[in-house]
Amino acid sequence: MARDEDDLTVGLGRAALDRLMPMHLYLSAGGTILSAGPTIARLYGKNGLIGLDFFATFEIRRPVGISGPADLARVAGARLIMLPLQTDGLSLRGVALPLAGAGGGMLLNLSFGIGVVEAVAHYRLTDADFAVTDLAMELLYLMEAKAAVTDELRQLNLRLQGARDAAEEQALTDTLTGLRNRRALDMTLDRVIAEGQSFGLMHIDLDYFKAVNDTYGHAAGDHVLREVGQALMSETRKMDTVARVGGDEFVIVFKDLADPGRLSRIADRIVARLSLPISFEDHSCMISASIGISISTDYDPPDPERMLDDADQALYASKKAGRGRAQLHHPAPRGDGDPCLN
Amino acid sequence: MHGLINRAVQCYLRDTFGAGRWRDIARESRIGVENFEPMLLYPPGTTEALITAASRVMGRPRDALLEDMGTYLVSNPQLEALRRLLRFGGSDFEEFLHSLEDLPGRGRLALPDLALPDLVLTAREAGRYRLRCRSDLPGTGYVMIGLLRAMADDYGALALLDYLGAAGDCEDIGIELLETGFAEGRAFDLAFRTG
């Protein structure tokens, strides 16, 4: 009883055809458009498509070489990519199949493919413009859902980035003075050395700080440290790194500054500034500073460990020489023997 | 529970009762955060703790809060994206009702971790439906009532909704569709404007 599939012929009225395939085109054997589905017709507005020559209205891009009814019949059933010539940029895809019966001709069914998003916006299409089986609505839904999710993720990333920056800043900051901490100093030294920049290194130790702490208490000591921090910031440039590396010890990295004369003058100014009394409540706290300086151009290659050690030795020499002064570390003339201090 | 849901609860409580009351509720619920990230996951029970705390702090019945929240989800202009995504369900309210069974699947398409309530729609007689709603969160049926009422409004349909009862983790809602073209619904332009 099984019917041979090849013998099955289905007749469809216009309304059924429009509902099943709102983007169909029915071509005569000569290639004239006899009928167009309501959605494809929208692309052409009032003038419509009926009576136009299909091959003058659409350009078939794939497969290549389709320019007349015979060519189209040859690629029946294949996937077609085509451009409606009157619309810019829109690409349609579809399939053409020959119709049974005396008249012949071909039926094309088309869709927007991935261009559906632009087409919906451009031609103000609605749900009713698509075949019930078309996944266009799902595609549009997905696109919006994805956009909403992406937007949320972008905002989450911004918030996380902000939190990370804040945490990083915190991890590199000395909480009492707001200066950089030891970790930040190490990172700075590694970076300037890696970048091959020359720099001056200043190691500063406060004189008589213990006396302030012992006489006026820790609150006074903390106040003095904060004031010192302020003073160091105002005596240095924005590009320099000022770090508190111990109780009353500070290190400054002067980027692109390797001139001994200039570094000494800056150090003298810092000593003078820190020798001014710092008032705390009713008291006047007197401190001073001893400073040791090392310069990256004296080393080949510069080594942060050694430069810090040498600045520390110069600092020690300042202390021994009576405090409240600065000394440069002088490298040994031939790179061996004890460093010579003066 | 997905952060998106907790975030929605947070936005509803904050926008409705103010930032101060929201902080009281967050503290009372002992969830340990004051700000939910919509794209992160939170331990199960978080949403339940929030709702319970909100009901206690605000002195409002849980069911009324949940129903109000359902309406908020659709009608708040800041959540326009959600309203639009729901409107993709159908071109009129009745079609939308039939699309509800797809809701968990649509949710997963957008966010694979998102667990939305299981919904089953049964037609009883012309224009009358029963929606069975299965969820871990008791009272989800009330959220659905608020949401459906707002969606009916959105489509310009007139529908009567009532809570039929709960059994286990299932809640039943009665829907009586009186008129589909009762009023001019809110516009829904398929084209999505970015930016």
Side-chain angles (χ1 to χ4, degrees):
Chain A
M1 302 289 271
R3 214 181 325 177
D4 188 346
E5 276 180 26
D6 292 343
D7 289 342
L8 179 65
T9 304
V10 180
L12 283 177
R14 182 181 297 276
L17 203 56
D18 285 352
R19 184 78 180 127
L20 271 177
M21 298 180 224
M23 290 187 70
H24 76 268
L25 291 174
Y26 168 33
L27 310 185
S28 73
T32 305
I33 298 173
L34 298 177
S35 153
T39 303
I40 189 79
R42 281 186 74 143
L43 271 55
Y44 286 84
K46 278 198 287 286
N47 299 334
L49 283 159
I50 313 299
L52 299 181
D53 174 18
F54 171 78
F55 297 96
T57 317
F58 294 88
E59 179 196 348
I60 298 190
R61 302 292 306 274
R62 296 277 183 285
V64 291
I66 310 294
S67 56
D71 302 326
L72 192 59
R74 199 160 34 76
V75 295
R79 177 193 299 253
L80 305 174
I81 306 286
M82 51 198 257
L83 302 178
L85 291 174
Q86 287 182 17
T87 62
D88 33 294
L90 188 66
S91 163
L92 300 173
R93 61 178 197 186
V95 62
L97 285 165
L99 288 173
M106 296 199 85
L107 184 67
L108 275 87
N109 192 24
L110 304 173
S111 101
F112 290 110
I114 199 73
V116 67
V117 177
E118 286 78 27
V120 158
H122 198 269
Y123 299 103
R124 311 200 64 75
L125 303 179
T126 70
D127 192 9
D129 290 316
F130 294 100
V132 174
T133 49
D134 195 319
L135 291 177
M137 293 297 285
E138 279 72 12
L139 188 72
L140 293 171
Y141 161 82
L142 256 184
M143 200 205 68
E144 281 206 33
K146 218 156 197 50
V149 169
T150 308
D151 189 51
E152 286 293 351
L153 285 173
R154 196 178 47 78
Q155 290 178 33
L156 172 62
N157 275 335
L158 284 176
R159 286 192 291 269
L160 289 178
Q161 175 78 43
R164 203 189 75 160
D165 289 351
E168 209 155 72
E169 183 63 25
Q170 241 170 36
L172 298 176
T173 304
D174 171 53
T175 46
L176 177 65
T177 59
L179 299 176
R180 308 270 85 177
N181 59 17
R182 176 70 203 220
R183 198 167 151 254
L185 171 70
D186 291 341
M187 285 169 63
T188 302
L189 286 172
D190 288 345
R191 196 171 56 239
V192 290
I193 289 171
E195 287 168 359
Q197 285 187 50
S198 60
F199 61 95
L201 194 69
M202 210 175 268
H203 192 173
I204 303 167
D205 189 89
L206 301 186
D207 303 321
Y208 320 115
F209 177 73
K210 190 171 178 301
V212 170
N213 246 342
D214 292 349
T215 315
Y216 305 119
H218 283 291
D222 287 353
H223 175 72
V224 165
L225 289 171
R226 275 191 292 263
E227 290 291 311
V228 168
Q230 291 286 319
L232 295 179
M233 287 306 285
S234 64
E235 294 296 337
T236 52
R237 303 162 303 171
K238 213 178 151 93
M239 63 196 282
D240 300 326
T241 300
V242 182
R244 176 171 172 239
V245 297
D248 58 350
E249 279 181 68
F250 302 83
V251 170
I252 306 178
V253 180
F254 292 90
K255 274 167 215 150
D256 275 330
L257 180 47
D259 175 52
R262 267 189 77 193
L263 284 165
S264 294
R265 281 194 296 280
I266 295 169
D268 290 343
R269 214 164 58 220
I270 289 173
V271 170
R273 171 89 180 251
L274 297 184
S275 302
L276 297 173
I278 296 169
S279 41
F280 176 71
E281 292 172 353
D282 294 338
H283 314 296
S284 185
C285 308
M286 290 298 294
I287 57 163
S288 178
S290 297
I291 299 180
I293 304 166
S294 58
I295 300 174
S296 67
T297 47
D298 292 337
Y299 302 82
D300 187 26
D303 170 42
E305 237 10 78
R306 262 192 72 196
M307 284 185 66
L308 282 167
D309 269 0
D310 290 346
D312 192 45
Q313 286 194 36
L315 164 68
Y316 183 68
S318 293
K319 288 256 182 210
K320 272 182 80 174
R323 306 183 177 178
R325 68 196 64 215
Q327 296 245 4
L328 276 165
H329 166 78
H330 288 286
R334 283 187 193 86
D336 53 16
D338 285 330
C340 160
L341 300 168
N342 71 359
Chain B
M1 188 64 85
H2 203 286
L4 195 64
I5 290 172
N6 294 322
R7 177 73 180 187
V9 176
Q10 172 187 345
C11 288
Y12 161 67
L13 293 171
R14 193 199 51 204
D15 291 354
T16 310
F17 304 115
R21 301 305 274 162
W22 156 247
R23 278 194 294 275
D24 294 343
I25 293 166
R27 259 196 303 278
E28 169 82 14
S29 67
R30 299 171 188 281
I31 48 176
V33 287
E34 260 188 25
N35 215 9
F36 286 103
E37 280 296 347
M39 291 295 127
L40 299 181
L41 298 178
Y42 293 88
T46 307
T47 315
E48 176 59 44
L50 268 182
I51 304 287
T52 308
S55 171
R56 201 157 47 219
V57 170
M58 299 316 304
R60 290 220 190 173
R62 173 194 180 95
D63 303 345
L65 269 181
L66 290 173
E67 188 174 330
D68 198 32
M69 186 169 81
T71 301
Y72 166 91
L73 291 175
V74 175
S75 51
N76 189 291
Q78 289 183 340
L79 296 171
E80 172 73 3
L82 177 62
R83 178 189 85 95
R84 282 190 58 87
L85 291 176
L86 287 169
R87 281 288 293 255
F88 273 102
S91 54
D92 62 36
F93 185 64
E94 201 156 13
E95 251 189 48
F96 168 76
L97 285 179
H98 287 284
S99 79
L100 284 173
E101 297 191 352
D102 294 339
L103 198 68
R106 282 179 175 263
R108 274 195 305 275
L109 264 184
L111 288 167
D113 299 322
L114 186 64
L116 292 176
D118 271 331
L119 300 166
V120 179
L121 188 78
T122 314
R124 298 201 290 185
E125 52 204 78
R128 293 167 73 95
Y129 295 93
R130 186 197 67 197
L131 183 69
R132 177 157 288 181
C133 171
R134 178 192 290 259
S135 159
D136 295 338
L137 185 76
T140 299
Y142 286 98
V143 179
M144 286 308 296
I145 288 184
L147 185 141
L148 290 175
R149 187 165 288 139
M151 282 309 285
D153 224 43
D154 211 84
Y155 277 107
L158 184 63
L160 286 182
L161 299 151
D162 62 317
Y163 193 83
L164 301 177
D169 57 357
C170 285
E171 293 167 76
D172 283 353
I173 298 163
I175 304 165
E176 191 178 347
L177 196 55
L178 301 177
E179 228 175 302
T180 45
F182 174 69
E184 182 97 353
R186 273 165 80 191
F188 179 61
D189 181 355
L190 267 191
F192 174 57
R193 268 167 278 278
T194 45

